[in-house]
Structure formats: structure tokens, C-alpha cells
């Protein structure tokens, strides 16, 4: 660890020296933006509240942007001073006035913003989508909407709408787009789902996060595809901080950490099934209450909501459920597993939940201790579905192919190979429906996220 730290510091100081020479080769003592930041020993960053950016969760600060920013501060060896804003425009003004070093909005970069700010490398691309409520008339033409589109003031969505309306009409009226400072993008999506407003525009990341909570959100059309997301910096500042950001993103991509982080927040929600999401939400608000006390009683060190999510994936909370392979009950136990964990009646809800919980805990204990959470949880879930032997086969394939067998994001890519002869014939345990195991885990992750949210809203 000491060697890694010294190497990182050496790279930063080399970068700093290079930026000084580049900017003022005749006056090497001129301070750069990066040198001032390092001397201050802190980086001042603006962001906005949101599930994909920053929020205070039960375990402390969370969010995709927050973790990226915390990683960058650690990379520089400075303290992260994070300033969450409620207004895009106020935040951007603070950046222009030099009160912030960078801004990470979790929002797309538009041509208007590129005229005002400098940007680091694009690390994601999103689509801007017109959203309406499923079951209502799908809009085809934004020029002929029966009611206005509501969007957050200063957001990329407003810029996209203004550009489209100005291009397609010479008589643009403000009544077609109404901007608001009182609601953020996530609240506007919620208002569409509840019928309070008819239309909004959201990027594909935010929409994916919200659709698991509000399945009635539907996409009318994509207004702008593959818009870049990047951190903003003052326009007239030297390139030293930008160079550090470029090197940082290069490092996290090369190490694989960025892929792990992206999978953590977005990997399991990219695909959306309206019927399944709506059925789950209805069941969570009705059927679950019969079994909630049992999940809590037998969850042990596990989160009871995780156990409940597993049970829904297994049986849809139907105690007498039976599969084509003969597994039965709320936790879909085989005869052998039921016998191992003293379950005499697999369709008895309490016995099934007790046995399933203990079996899953035993699988968790068999995952190598060096594998941290949540990866060990997802791997144990895959083992619950296809067995520990097949999981180990997938981990071996991962290592053979240059991946990291201790990361779920790498292992899940190899699980489908267990159905392919050229791969499974080289493994110890042979053929397995690994693609189903991968989907099994991703489904449970979505159900779990939804249960956490419903629980926080006191809806279960």
C-alpha cells in the first residue's frame, strides 16, 4: 500500500510539474489550479441531490457521483468538500465565480453548457426521453402535446427541449415547456406516475432508477440519444485539474473499478419489464405482509428485505409453489436441502423461510472471505440457484479469461458460458443454466431495491 501511495503521489507531482511548465515555461513558479487545490488539501465539488448523484442513506453518503468524487479526492490525496445544491443554475454560477473546483451534476452536457464551461472526459452516455404515464395516450409530436412538458430549470432537458422546439417551429411559445425549481427530476417522474402532470423529460439513467418504483412510467420517444456526461470546470482555468481528472478516469477504467461501480448502481436496472414490476409492487403492498414477520424472524445477520426478495423470485410468495424440477415452497427447497436443514414440510411458510435462510447463510459462509460485499452476496445467490460447484466453475472461467473471479460484475459475464459446450466441457461440474442464474440475481437485486424504497416510504 505504501508503494502504491508513493507511485500515485509521484504521478501527481509529475503531472503538476508538467502543467506548470506547459502553462508558464518561462515562469515555473506560477501556481496552477491543481497546485492550489493540493496546497489547500481539499477539493470543492458541487452536485445535486438524487438517487444517482448524492444522498444520505442509512449507511452514510451514497450515490454513483458521490463514490466517483470520493475516489477522485482519495486519488489526489485531499479532502472531499461536497456541496449539494437544489438549483442547477445557482450551482453553475458558483462554479463560474470560482467558488467551486468542479461540478458533478449527473446531468448530460449540452452545447450551451460547453460554451460556459470546460469538461473532463465523458464517462457515461445517456438518452433524453419524453416520459408519460402508461395507459394514457402516447404522444407522437412534441409540437402537438395537449399539455406542457415540465422540466427542471437549468437542466440539460430544458436545453434539449428548447433546441428541438426552436428547430421545428418559428412560433415557439413558453406554454409548451414549463420549468420549475420546486421539484427535481425524480420528483417530476413521480408526478407523471401519479397523474399530477402529463409529461416530463428525463435521462435514461434517472428513468431506469425510478421505473422500478413507478412501473407506470413509459417512454414516448427519445429526443436526443447518447449525450455525454462529464464533470464541469471553470472555462478560463488552466488544464492542470482537467489533466488530473483524465488520468483518474483512465486509472479507474483500467483497474475495473468504474465498471464495478456502474454495475452497482445501474447494472441490474437497465432492462425493464412493466408487467413484472407492477405485479411485484402490488404483491409487496399486499401479499408480503403475511410473511414479513417470518422473514424478519429468520433473517439472522441478513437484511430481511433481501430474504423476501429472494423468496419472491423463487415463488412469488406462493407457499405451495412447485417448479418443473420438483422444488417447492416459498423458498423453493429441494428434498435434499429440506432434509439438510430440518424442513419436514416444504410448503409450510415458516419452515420454508427458516430452512431457506439457513441454507443461504451457509452458502455465504462458503464464499471466500477475501470477497467483500455486495459481491459475496450476489455470488451466494447465484450458488443458491445453480449450486456452489457451478459458481466455482464460473469463477475459474473468469480467471482463465483474465477477469477477476472475486468481482460479481466479471463472474456474471461468464455464467452464461456454462451452457456452451466449448466452455462447460473444460469445467469440473459441466453444464449448467448459468444464464438463468445471472438473471436470477439481477431480478433479486431489483426486487430488493424496490423493497428498501417501499419500506422507507412505509408502504410495506
Amino acid at each position: 500500500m505504501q508503494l502504491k501511495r508513493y507511485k500515485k503521489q509521484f504521478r501527481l507531482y509529475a503531472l503538476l510539474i508538467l502543467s506548470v511548465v506547459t502553462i508558464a515555461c518561462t515562469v515555473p513558479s506560477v501556481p496552477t489550479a491543481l497546485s492550489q487545490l493540493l496546497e489547500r488539501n481539499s477539493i470543492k465539488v458541487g452536485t445535486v441531490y438524487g438517487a444517482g448523484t448524492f444522498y444520505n442513506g442509512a449507511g452514510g453518503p451514497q450515490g454513483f457521483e458521490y463514490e466517483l468524487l470520493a475516489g477522485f479526492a482519495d486519488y489526489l490525496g485531499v479532502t472531499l468538500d461536497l456541496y449539494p445544491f437544489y438549483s442547477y443554475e445557482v450551482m453553475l454560477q458558483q462554479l463560474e465565480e470560482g467558488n467551486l473546483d468542479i461540478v458533478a451534476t449527473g446531468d448530460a452536457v449540452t452545447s450551451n453548457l460547453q460554451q460556459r464551461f470546460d469538461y473532463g472526459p465523458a464517462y457515461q452516455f445517456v438518452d433524453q426521453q419524453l416520459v408519460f404515464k402508461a395507459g394514457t395516450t402516447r404522444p407522437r409530436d412534441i409540437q402537438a402535446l395537449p399539455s406542457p412538458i415540465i422540466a427542471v430549470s437549468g437542466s440539460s432537458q430544458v436545453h434539449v427541449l428548447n433546441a428541438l422546439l426552436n428547430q421545428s417551429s418559428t412560433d415557439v411559445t413558453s406554454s409548451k415547456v414549463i420549468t420549475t425549481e420546486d421539484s427535481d427530476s425524480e420528483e417530476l417522474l413521480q408526478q407523471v406516475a401519479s397523474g399530477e402532470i402529463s409529461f416530463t423529460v428525463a435521462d435514461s439513467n434517472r428513468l431506469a432508477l425510478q421505473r422500478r418504483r413507478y412501473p407506470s412510467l413509459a417512454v414516448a420517444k427519445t429526443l436526443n440519444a447518447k449525450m455525454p456526461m462529464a464533470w464541469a470546470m471553470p472555462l478560463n482555468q488552466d488544464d492542470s485539474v482537467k489533466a488530473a481528472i483524465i488520468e483518474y478516469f483512465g486509472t479507474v477504467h483500467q483497474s475495473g473499478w468504474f465498471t464495478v461501480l456502474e454495475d452497482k448502481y445501474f447494472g441490474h436496472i437497465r432492462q425493464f419489464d412493466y408487467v413484472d414490476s407492477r405485479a411485484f409492487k402490488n404483491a409487496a403492498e399486499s401479499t408480503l405482509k403475511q410473511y414479513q414477520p417470518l422473514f424478519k424472524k429468520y433473517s439472522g445477520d441478513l437484511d430481511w428485505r433481501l430474504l423476501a426478495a429472494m423468496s419472491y423470485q423463487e415463488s412469488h410468495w406462493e407457499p405451495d409453489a412447485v417448479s418443473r424440477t420438483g422444488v417447492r415452497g416459498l423458498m423453493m427447497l429441494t428434498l435434499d436441502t429440506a432434509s439438510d436443514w430440518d424442513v419436514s414440510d416444504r410448503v409450510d411458510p415458516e419452515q420454508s423461510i427458516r430452512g431457506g435462510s439457513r441454507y443461504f447463510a451457509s452458502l455465504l459462509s462458503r464464499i471466500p472471505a477475501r470477497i467483500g460485499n455486495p459481491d459475496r452476496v450476489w455470488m451466494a445467490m447465484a450458488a443458491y440457484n445453480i449450486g456452489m460447484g457451478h459458481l466455482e466453475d464460473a469463477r475459474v472461467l473468469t480467471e482463465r479469461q483474465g477477469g477477476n473471479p472475486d468481482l460479481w460484475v466479471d463472474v456474471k459475464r461468464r455464467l452464461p458460458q456454462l451452457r456452451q459446450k466449448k466452455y462447460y466441457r473444460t469445467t469440473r461440474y459441466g453444464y449448467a443454466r448459468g444464464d438463468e442464474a445471472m438473471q436470477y440475481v439481477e431480478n433479486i437485486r431489483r426486487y430488493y431495491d424496490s423493497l428498501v424504497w417501499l419500506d422507507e416510504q412505509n408502504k410495506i
Side-chain angles (χ1 to χ4, degrees):
M1 293 299 292
Q2 283 287 98
L3 180 60
K4 286 184 179 179
R5 188 179 68 180
Y6 290 144
K7 284 182 176 178
K8 182 175 75 175
Q9 289 176 342
F10 176 78
R11 287 198 307 270
L12 284 173
Y13 285 122
L15 184 67
L16 180 58
I17 292 169
L18 178 62
S19 66
V20 170
V21 173
T22 302
I23 295 164
C25 60
T26 58
V27 190
S29 61
V30 174
T32 66
L34 180 60
S35 67
Q36 293 173 331
L37 186 157
L38 293 174
E39 185 176 356
R40 188 204 312 147
N41 198 35
S42 69
I43 182 167
K44 299 178 181 179
V45 181
T47 190
V48 291
Y49 286 104
T53 48
F54 164 78
Y55 63 98
N56 286 303
Q62 297 180 34
F64 179 69
E65 292 290 344
Y66 168 76
E67 292 203 42
L68 272 178
L69 292 166
F72 182 53
D74 181 65
Y75 179 77
L76 295 179
V78 300
T79 301
L80 174 64
D81 289 339
L82 192 67
Y83 298 91
F85 286 80
Y86 296 100
S87 166
Y88 280 106
E89 272 306 320
V90 171
M91 178 176 60
L92 294 175
Q93 287 171 9
Q94 290 296 308
L95 182 63
E96 283 180 315
E97 293 172 7
N99 298 320
L100 298 170
D101 297 310
I102 61 175
V103 155
T105 64
D107 199 16
V109 180
T110 66
S111 57
N112 308 65
L113 293 174
Q114 286 177 319
Q115 295 175 15
R116 294 175 60 188
F117 305 101
D118 194 12
Y119 282 89
Y123 52 88
Q124 277 189 321
F125 292 87
V126 295
D127 297 338
Q128 299 291 355
Q129 298 172 318
L130 178 62
V131 182
F132 73 112
K133 185 176 182 180
T136 62
T137 302
R138 180 179 179 177
R140 303 288 181 180
D141 182 4
I142 63 171
Q143 290 289 344
L145 297 178
S147 54
I149 302 170
I150 314 299
V152 178
S153 300
S155 66
S156 63
Q157 290 79 37
V158 173
H159 293 299
V160 167
L161 286 168
N162 286 339
L164 286 172
L165 290 170
N166 278 307
Q167 286 173 8
S168 57
S169 174
T170 56
D171 183 26
V172 178
T173 62
S174 60
S175 62
K176 290 181 181 177
V177 179
I178 296 178
T179 62
T180 178
E181 287 275 10
D182 295 330
S183 299
D184 59 29
S185 181
E186 293 170 13
E187 289 177 288
L188 292 180
L189 287 168
Q190 180 180 351
Q191 290 167 24
V192 170
S194 65
E196 296 175 57
I197 63 176
S198 299
F199 310 107
T200 190
V201 175
D203 67 60
S204 47
N205 272 355
R206 285 190 171 94
L207 180 59
L209 286 165
Q210 294 303 311
R211 284 181 103 178
R212 72 177 189 268
R213 301 172 177 177
Y214 306 104
S216 63
L217 293 172
V219 177
K221 63 188 302 184
T222 296
L223 303 181
N224 200 318
K226 297 191 180 303
M227 296 185 68
M229 294 174 64
W231 292 347
M233 293 161 283
L235 185 61
N236 297 319
Q237 165 179 292
D238 65 69
D239 288 338
S240 57
V241 173
K242 183 176 181 177
I245 293 175
I246 291 172
E247 183 172 318
Y248 166 68
F249 274 101
T251 300
V252 297
H253 277 290
Q254 186 175 13
S255 69
W257 182 72
F258 182 87
T259 303
V260 172
L261 188 64
E262 191 173 42
D263 180 75
K264 174 182 177 180
Y265 284 96
F266 306 109
H268 59 299
I269 59 173
R270 296 297 190 194
Q271 296 180 337
F272 176 74
D273 185 323
Y274 169 74
V275 174
D276 178 68
S277 296
R278 185 169 183 177
F280 173 77
K281 187 172 184 290
N282 290 338
E285 294 176 346
S286 56
T287 309
L288 178 58
K289 63 184 177 183
Q290 303 174 52
Y291 310 112
Q292 186 172 335
L294 295 175
F295 288 125
K296 290 182 175 180
K297 180 178 179 180
Y298 293 110
S299 59
D301 294 332
L302 300 170
D303 185 333
W304 74 267
R305 297 166 298 190
L306 185 66
L307 197 62
M310 289 181 64
S311 178
Y312 184 82
Q313 171 63 27
E314 290 285 354
S315 65
H316 283 204
W317 296 324
E318 295 177 7
D320 57 352
V322 58
S323 79
R324 65 182 184 276
T325 59
V327 295
R328 303 190 67 181
L330 282 173
M331 299 300 291
M332 284 294 188
L333 303 176
T334 66
L335 280 171
D336 288 343
T337 301
S339 176
D340 289 342
W341 299 99
D342 299 321
V343 175
S344 59
D345 183 358
R346 289 184 291 165
V347 298
D348 176 76
E350 183 163 8
Q351 288 193 49
S352 183
I353 292 172
R354 172 173 52 80
S357 174
R358 291 176 179 176
Y359 175 49
F360 181 64
S362 75
L363 292 172
L364 265 174
S365 69
R366 293 166 61 188
I367 301 295
R370 66 178 179 273
I371 300 177
N373 287 324
D375 299 77
R376 65 184 299 106
V377 173
W378 309 145
M379 290 189 196
M381 279 184 185
Y384 192 100
N385 181 257
I386 58 171
M388 185 62 75
H390 290 305
L391 173 68
E392 286 304 304
D393 282 346
R395 295 183 65 236
V396 169
L397 288 173
T398 301
E399 189 167 26
R400 285 178 187 169
Q401 296 170 20
N404 188 335
D406 295 345
L407 293 179
W408 169 248
V409 69
D410 283 355
V411 173
K412 75 174 184 178
R413 293 173 181 169
R414 277 74 184 187
L415 281 169
Q417 294 178 3
L418 298 179
R419 289 191 87 140
Q420 302 173 42
K421 188 175 181 179
K422 68 176 180 178
Y423 295 111
Y424 71 69
R425 69 182 178 186
T426 69
T427 63
R428 180 177 180 182
Y429 293 93
Y431 173 89
R433 295 192 298 271
D435 54 337
E436 294 181 11
M438 179 185 71
Q439 193 59 54
Y440 173 89
V441 175
E442 301 300 84
N443 288 347
I444 292 171
R445 291 176 65 184
R446 286 196 298 272
Y447 297 148
Y448 173 66
D449 285 353
S450 295
L451 285 180
V452 170
W453 181 78
L454 288 168
D455 191 26
E456 291 172 350
Q457 301 295 311
N458 297 315
K459 293 186 177 182
I460 56 174

